[in-house]
Tab-separated table of all heavy atoms in Angstrom:
chain	number	residue	atom	x	y	z
A	938	ARG	N	14.666	-10.118	-2.021
A	938	ARG	CA	15.493	-11.229	-1.554
A	938	ARG	C	16.394	-10.790	-0.404
A	938	ARG	O	16.656	-11.547	0.528
A	938	ARG	CB	16.340	-11.778	-2.713
A	938	ARG	CG	15.563	-12.150	-3.966
A	938	ARG	CD	14.488	-13.204	-3.714
A	938	ARG	NE	15.040	-14.535	-3.662
A	938	ARG	CZ	14.296	-15.639	-3.576
A	938	ARG	NH1	12.988	-15.545	-3.497
A	938	ARG	NH2	14.864	-16.813	-3.536
A	939	GLN	N	16.889	-9.564	-0.474
A	939	GLN	CA	17.719	-9.031	0.595
A	939	GLN	C	16.895	-8.877	1.868
A	939	GLN	O	17.335	-9.266	2.969
A	939	GLN	CB	18.348	-7.714	0.182
A	939	GLN	CG	19.307	-7.136	1.205
A	939	GLN	CD	19.944	-5.853	0.710
A	939	GLN	OE1	19.270	-4.959	0.263
A	939	GLN	NE2	21.260	-5.780	0.774
A	940	TRP	N	15.703	-8.307	1.737
A	940	TRP	CA	14.825	-8.164	2.891
A	940	TRP	C	14.495	-9.516	3.506
A	940	TRP	O	14.351	-9.632	4.724
A	940	TRP	CB	13.531	-7.469	2.503
A	940	TRP	CG	13.661	-6.022	2.122
A	940	TRP	CD1	14.784	-5.306	1.935
A	940	TRP	CD2	12.572	-5.117	1.873
A	940	TRP	NE1	14.490	-4.026	1.572
A	940	TRP	CE2	13.128	-3.879	1.538
A	940	TRP	CE3	11.173	-5.265	1.888
A	940	TRP	CZ2	12.335	-2.777	1.217
A	940	TRP	CZ3	10.383	-4.179	1.586
A	940	TRP	CH2	10.965	-2.918	1.266
A	941	HIS	N	14.360	-10.541	2.641
A	941	HIS	CA	14.022	-11.873	3.145
A	941	HIS	C	15.083	-12.373	4.111
A	941	HIS	O	14.765	-13.020	5.147
A	941	HIS	CB	13.860	-12.828	1.968
A	941	HIS	CG	13.275	-14.139	2.347
A	941	HIS	ND1	13.888	-15.343	2.060
A	941	HIS	CD2	12.126	-14.479	3.013
A	941	HIS	CE1	13.162	-16.333	2.510
A	941	HIS	NE2	12.080	-15.835	3.085
A	942	GLU	N	16.347	-12.092	3.829
A	942	GLU	CA	17.398	-12.463	4.741
A	942	GLU	C	17.214	-11.779	6.102
A	942	GLU	O	17.419	-12.370	7.162
A	942	GLU	CB	18.768	-12.099	4.150
A	942	GLU	CG	19.130	-12.875	2.907
A	942	GLU	CD	20.490	-12.454	2.366
A	942	GLU	OE1	21.227	-11.737	3.074
A	942	GLU	OE2	20.819	-12.840	1.228
A	943	TRP	N	16.809	-10.514	6.063
A	943	TRP	CA	16.640	-9.760	7.299
A	943	TRP	C	15.434	-10.217	8.090
A	943	TRP	O	15.492	-10.297	9.318
A	943	TRP	CB	16.522	-8.263	6.976
A	943	TRP	CG	17.758	-7.691	6.327
A	943	TRP	CD1	19.015	-8.233	6.313
A	943	TRP	CD2	17.847	-6.484	5.610
A	943	TRP	NE1	19.875	-7.428	5.602
A	943	TRP	CE2	19.190	-6.336	5.156
A	943	TRP	CE3	16.924	-5.481	5.267
A	943	TRP	CZ2	19.618	-5.260	4.420
A	943	TRP	CZ3	17.376	-4.377	4.527
A	943	TRP	CH2	18.700	-4.282	4.102
A	944	THR	N	14.326	-10.499	7.401
A	944	THR	CA	13.128	-10.918	8.141
A	944	THR	C	13.295	-12.320	8.707
A	944	THR	O	12.808	-12.613	9.820
A	944	THR	CB	11.872	-10.850	7.255
A	944	THR	OG1	12.045	-11.703	6.120
A	944	THR	CG2	11.596	-9.428	6.838
A	945	THR	N	13.952	-13.232	7.974
A	945	THR	CA	14.087	-14.595	8.487
A	945	THR	C	15.068	-14.685	9.634
A	945	THR	O	14.983	-15.618	10.438
A	945	THR	CB	14.547	-15.557	7.351
A	945	THR	OG1	15.742	-15.047	6.749
A	945	THR	CG2	13.463	-15.709	6.306
A	946	THR	N	15.990	-13.731	9.741
A	946	THR	CA	16.923	-13.706	10.876
A	946	THR	C	16.374	-12.887	12.032
A	946	THR	O	17.064	-12.712	13.045
A	946	THR	CB	18.269	-13.163	10.459
A	946	THR	OG1	18.121	-11.848	9.891
A	946	THR	CG2	18.946	-14.081	9.439
A	947	GLY	N	15.162	-12.366	11.908
A	947	GLY	CA	14.529	-11.659	13.005
A	947	GLY	C	14.970	-10.238	13.192
A	947	GLY	O	14.723	-9.636	14.245
A	948	ARG	N	15.589	-9.653	12.169
A	948	ARG	CA	16.125	-8.303	12.350
A	948	ARG	C	15.019	-7.280	12.629
A	948	ARG	O	15.239	-6.309	13.346
A	948	ARG	CB	16.904	-7.902	11.102
A	948	ARG	CG	17.847	-6.738	11.338
A	948	ARG	CD	18.747	-6.477	10.152
A	948	ARG	NE	19.663	-5.411	10.428
A	948	ARG	CZ	20.413	-4.794	9.518
A	948	ARG	NH1	20.340	-5.182	8.242
A	948	ARG	NH2	21.224	-3.804	9.852
A	949	LEU	N	13.832	-7.495	12.049
A	949	LEU	CA	12.703	-6.581	12.294
A	949	LEU	C	11.850	-7.020	13.471
A	949	LEU	O	10.875	-6.332	13.810
A	949	LEU	CB	11.813	-6.498	11.042
A	949	LEU	CG	12.395	-5.830	9.807
A	949	LEU	CD1	11.403	-5.865	8.668
A	949	LEU	CD2	12.789	-4.386	10.107
A	950	GLY	N	12.179	-8.118	14.095
A	950	GLY	CA	11.325	-8.681	15.121
A	950	GLY	C	10.133	-9.385	14.508
A	950	GLY	O	10.185	-9.851	13.373
A	951	ASP	N	9.052	-9.478	15.244
A	951	ASP	CA	7.823	-10.084	14.752
A	951	ASP	C	7.051	-9.092	13.907
A	951	ASP	O	6.723	-7.983	14.397
A	951	ASP	CB	6.946	-10.568	15.918
A	951	ASP	CG	7.602	-11.676	16.725
A	951	ASP	OD1	8.353	-12.469	16.131
A	951	ASP	OD2	7.370	-11.749	17.945
A	952	ILE	N	6.742	-9.438	12.667
A	952	ILE	CA	6.024	-8.513	11.789
A	952	ILE	C	4.537	-8.603	12.064
A	952	ILE	O	3.931	-9.654	11.995
A	952	ILE	CB	6.327	-8.851	10.315
A	952	ILE	CG1	7.818	-8.666	10.029
A	952	ILE	CG2	5.503	-7.943	9.385
A	952	ILE	CD1	8.262	-9.171	8.686
A	953	PHE	N	3.966	-7.449	12.422
A	953	PHE	CA	2.547	-7.410	12.788
A	953	PHE	C	1.696	-6.637	11.780
A	953	PHE	O	0.461	-6.722	11.802
A	953	PHE	CB	2.370	-6.812	14.188
A	953	PHE	CG	2.919	-5.416	14.345
A	953	PHE	CD1	2.177	-4.295	13.997
A	953	PHE	CD2	4.210	-5.237	14.834
A	953	PHE	CE1	2.709	-3.020	14.133
A	953	PHE	CE2	4.742	-3.944	14.969
A	953	PHE	CZ	3.991	-2.842	14.623
A	954	TYR	N	2.332	-5.912	10.861
A	954	TYR	CA	1.588	-5.137	9.843
A	954	TYR	C	2.435	-4.992	8.614
A	954	TYR	O	3.654	-4.778	8.685
A	954	TYR	CB	1.202	-3.756	10.376
A	954	TYR	CG	0.504	-2.893	9.348
A	954	TYR	CD1	-0.826	-3.089	9.048
A	954	TYR	CD2	1.209	-1.913	8.621
A	954	TYR	CE1	-1.474	-2.308	8.075
A	954	TYR	CE2	0.571	-1.125	7.672
A	954	TYR	CZ	-0.757	-1.342	7.394
A	954	TYR	OH	-1.395	-0.581	6.437
A	955	ALA	N	1.794	-5.096	7.453
A	955	ALA	CA	2.484	-4.890	6.182
A	955	ALA	C	1.485	-4.266	5.191
A	955	ALA	O	0.279	-4.480	5.299
A	955	ALA	CB	3.056	-6.192	5.635
A	956	GLU	N	2.017	-3.556	4.231
A	956	GLU	CA	1.153	-3.010	3.191
A	956	GLU	C	1.906	-2.973	1.866
A	956	GLU	O	3.138	-2.999	1.826
A	956	GLU	CB	0.639	-1.628	3.552
A	956	GLU	CG	1.694	-0.548	3.699
A	956	GLU	CD	1.065	0.792	4.117
A	956	GLU	OE1	0.675	0.925	5.276
A	956	GLU	OE2	0.976	1.672	3.239
A	957	ALA	N	1.121	-2.917	0.804
A	957	ALA	CA	1.691	-2.841	-0.530
A	957	ALA	C	0.744	-2.070	-1.429
A	957	ALA	O	-0.475	-2.097	-1.222
A	957	ALA	CB	1.943	-4.228	-1.099
A	958	GLU	N	1.312	-1.388	-2.409
A	958	GLU	CA	0.527	-0.685	-3.425
A	958	GLU	C	1.121	-1.032	-4.786
A	958	GLU	O	2.341	-1.059	-4.953
A	958	GLU	CB	0.572	0.816	-3.226
A	958	GLU	CG	0.011	1.292	-1.892
A	958	GLU	CD	0.078	2.801	-1.724
A	958	GLU	OE1	0.338	3.496	-2.719
A	958	GLU	OE2	-0.135	3.266	-0.594
A	959	TYR	N	0.230	-1.332	-5.706
A	959	TYR	CA	0.664	-1.553	-7.087
A	959	TYR	C	-0.258	-0.718	-7.981
A	959	TYR	O	-1.409	-1.065	-8.196
A	959	TYR	CB	0.583	-3.037	-7.445
A	959	TYR	CG	0.966	-3.361	-8.879
A	959	TYR	CD1	1.873	-2.569	-9.594
A	959	TYR	CD2	0.402	-4.457	-9.534
A	959	TYR	CE1	2.214	-2.867	-10.903
A	959	TYR	CE2	0.743	-4.766	-10.838
A	959	TYR	CZ	1.639	-3.969	-11.520
A	959	TYR	OH	1.960	-4.254	-12.826
A	960	ILE	N	0.282	0.381	-8.455
A	960	ILE	CA	-0.473	1.312	-9.312
A	960	ILE	C	0.192	1.306	-10.677
A	960	ILE	O	1.362	1.666	-10.826
A	960	ILE	CB	-0.439	2.758	-8.731
A	960	ILE	CG1	-0.745	2.748	-7.253
A	960	ILE	CG2	-1.414	3.643	-9.508
A	960	ILE	CD1	-2.110	2.221	-6.889
A	961	HIS	N	-0.558	0.866	-11.689
A	961	HIS	CA	-0.003	0.742	-13.033
A	961	HIS	C	-1.133	1.041	-14.041
A	961	HIS	O	-2.015	0.209	-14.228
A	961	HIS	CB	0.532	-0.666	-13.236
A	961	HIS	CG	1.342	-0.850	-14.497
A	961	HIS	ND1	1.822	-2.075	-14.898
A	961	HIS	CD2	1.741	0.052	-15.440
A	961	HIS	CE1	2.486	-1.922	-16.023
A	961	HIS	NE2	2.445	-0.649	-16.390
A	962	GLU	N	-1.094	2.193	-14.638
A	962	GLU	CA	-2.152	2.627	-15.551
A	962	GLU	C	-2.061	1.831	-16.854
A	962	GLU	O	-1.035	1.880	-17.555
A	962	GLU	CB	-2.018	4.139	-15.814
A	962	GLU	CG	-3.128	4.722	-16.646
A	962	GLU	CD	-2.771	4.839	-18.102
A	962	GLU	OE1	-1.874	5.652	-18.426
A	962	GLU	OE2	-3.377	4.097	-18.907
A	963	LEU	N	-3.147	1.107	-17.162
A	963	LEU	CA	-3.169	0.206	-18.310
A	963	LEU	C	-4.404	0.450	-19.185
A	963	LEU	O	-5.018	-0.507	-19.674
A	963	LEU	CB	-3.177	-1.254	-17.837
A	963	LEU	CG	-1.949	-1.731	-17.037
A	963	LEU	CD1	-2.192	-3.121	-16.484
A	963	LEU	CD2	-0.700	-1.723	-17.926
A	964	HIS	N	-4.783	1.689	-19.378
A	964	HIS	CA	-5.999	1.987	-20.145
A	964	HIS	C	-5.978	1.303	-21.502
A	964	HIS	O	-6.988	0.770	-21.976
A	964	HIS	CB	-6.144	3.502	-20.330
A	964	HIS	CG	-6.440	4.256	-19.082
A	964	HIS	ND1	-6.941	5.537	-19.080
A	964	HIS	CD2	-6.338	3.899	-17.778
A	964	HIS	CE1	-7.118	5.935	-17.834
A	964	HIS	NE2	-6.738	4.976	-17.031
A	965	ASP	N	-4.815	1.303	-22.146
A	965	ASP	CA	-4.743	0.760	-23.513
A	965	ASP	C	-4.816	-0.774	-23.530
A	965	ASP	O	-4.969	-1.387	-24.602
A	965	ASP	CB	-3.493	1.229	-24.238
A	965	ASP	CG	-2.201	0.830	-23.542
A	965	ASP	OD1	-2.254	0.430	-22.341
A	965	ASP	OD2	-1.130	0.898	-24.156
A	966	MET	N	-4.716	-1.406	-22.361
A	966	MET	CA	-4.872	-2.854	-22.257
A	966	MET	C	-6.272	-3.227	-21.772
A	966	MET	O	-6.593	-4.417	-21.662
A	966	MET	CB	-3.821	-3.455	-21.341
A	966	MET	CG	-2.405	-3.337	-21.865
A	966	MET	SD	-1.230	-4.194	-20.822
A	966	MET	CE	0.306	-3.892	-21.714
A	967	ILE	N	-7.062	-2.211	-21.468
A	967	ILE	CA	-8.468	-2.439	-21.077
A	967	ILE	C	-9.395	-2.163	-22.268
A	967	ILE	O	-10.324	-2.922	-22.521
A	967	ILE	CB	-8.817	-1.534	-19.868
A	967	ILE	CG1	-8.035	-2.009	-18.642
A	967	ILE	CG2	-10.327	-1.558	-19.586
A	967	ILE	CD1	-8.171	-1.114	-17.439
A	968	ARG	N	-9.078	-1.114	-23.015
A	968	ARG	CA	-9.917	-0.749	-24.160
A	968	ARG	C	-9.087	-0.101	-25.232
A	968	ARG	O	-8.189	0.703	-24.944
A	968	ARG	CB	-11.037	0.211	-23.740
A	968	ARG	CG	-11.903	0.692	-24.896
A	968	ARG	CD	-12.915	1.743	-24.425
A	968	ARG	NE	-12.257	2.933	-23.922
A	968	ARG	CZ	-12.939	3.957	-23.392
A	968	ARG	NH1	-14.260	3.895	-23.280
A	968	ARG	NH2	-12.307	5.017	-22.934
A	969	ASN	N	-9.370	-0.433	-26.494
A	969	ASN	CA	-8.786	0.265	-27.621
A	969	ASN	C	-9.620	1.512	-27.897
A	969	ASN	O	-10.773	1.410	-28.311
A	969	ASN	CB	-8.769	-0.649	-28.858
A	969	ASN	CG	-8.079	-0.015	-30.043
A	969	ASN	OD1	-8.258	1.173	-30.329
A	969	ASN	ND2	-7.300	-0.814	-30.752
C-alpha cells in the first residue's frame, strides 16, 4: 500500500519491468 502511493504519484517514473517470486514449500498439502 505504501509503494502504491509512490507509484501512483510517479516517484518511480514509468514502470517498464516488474518481477515477483512466491516460493512456499507445501509437500504436506500435496500428499500425505
Side-chain angles (χ1 to χ4, degrees):
R938 307 301 280 185
Q939 184 177 50
W940 291 9
H941 191 235
E942 294 179 11
W943 297 342
T944 59
T945 54
T946 57
R948 198 172 182 193
L949 292 178
D951 295 328
I952 297 171
F953 57 85
Y954 176 79
E956 63 181 75
E958 299 180 12
Y959 177 30
I960 314 298
H961 190 185
E962 185 263 292
L963 297 172
H964 291 197
D965 60 345
M966 294 186 179
I967 293 173
R968 176 185 63 184
N969 184 318

